[in-house]
Amino acid sequence: MATPLSHLAVPLALTAALGPDLVPPGLMILAIACALLPDLDALGLWLGIPYEHPFGHRGFTHSLPFAVALAAAGSLLAPAAGAQPAVAFWVLLVSAASHGLLDAMTNGGLGIAFFSPFSHRRHFLPWRVIEVSPLRPSALFSRRGLRVLRSEMRWVWMPCVVLALVGLALRGMFA
Ligand SMILES: [Zn+2]
């Protein structure tokens, strides 16, 4: 995985870029949940599910079909969150799918089962520029942890800040 902190970057950037009319706080919270939820499969490692198993880490919960299902389920909550269901669907889909895509850009672990449950083959993207995060959170407070955070700053947070600023500027121009 990338660190859980960096999986927050995409939903936060979308929220800032699209603005509170399209992404009210309730939808932002759902988007954050969608971006973090795929790593619940790391619990499987404690339960004895092997990493390479279809339900192992970076398996089904990191796939695109799971992201679509999560976004569809989440968009049912859109009216309660004060959002339009169609907007909610796309915001949640991008947030959920970004998790697997970011993990597929890390330089360690097994690839992502993007097409699970239809295919359990694991994939990486061609650009594996993000330093993989240790699975043990305590290991982040080390020299390696600093290297991980520096690479996520560069490859995740910087592009997300740019996306947020472009969205803010466009909204300012057309407001
Ligand atoms: Zn992950």
Side-chain angles (χ1 to χ4, degrees):
M1 56 175 160
T3 60
L5 205 61
S6 283
H7 286 301
L8 297 178
V10 172
L12 291 180
L14 280 176
T15 303
L18 296 173
D21 290 345
L22 288 176
V23 187
L27 180 55
M28 180 185 79
I29 291 168
L30 284 175
I32 287 174
C34 284
L36 294 180
L37 217 95
D39 270 345
L40 273 186
D41 64 6
L43 292 177
L45 292 173
W46 299 98
L47 298 173
I49 301 174
Y51 196 139
E52 63 282 0
H53 186 275
F55 289 102
H57 187 43
R58 292 184 166 181
F60 177 61
T61 62
H62 282 61
S63 73
L64 296 174
F66 181 80
V68 171
L70 205 55
S75 63
L76 296 177
L77 301 173
Q84 301 161 34
V87 174
F89 176 79
W90 287 107
V91 167
L92 298 180
L93 179 60
V94 172
S95 298
S98 74
H99 185 114
L101 290 169
L102 286 177
D103 279 359
M105 290 169 69
T106 60
N107 60 6
L110 293 180
I112 310 300
F114 276 127
F115 305 106
S116 173
F118 306 107
S119 157
H120 297 300
R121 224 181 116 203
R122 305 290 188 113
H123 303 267
F124 279 108
L125 291 181
W127 319 277
R128 295 177 61 184
V129 289
I130 302 174
E131 197 74 37
V132 75
S133 164
L135 283 172
R136 233 172 356 102
S138 58
L140 272 181
F141 300 98
S142 64
R143 191 179 294 237
R144 170 147 176 248
L146 273 183
R147 219 172 45 223
V148 170
L149 294 179
R150 209 172 323 131
S151 98
E152 292 187 355
M153 208 46 99
R154 181 168 169 198
W155 297 110
V156 183
W157 286 97
M158 296 263 283
C160 282
V161 167
V162 170
L163 171 74
L165 290 177
V166 169
L168 278 169
L170 286 176
R171 279 195 292 123
M173 271 162 57
F174 294 107

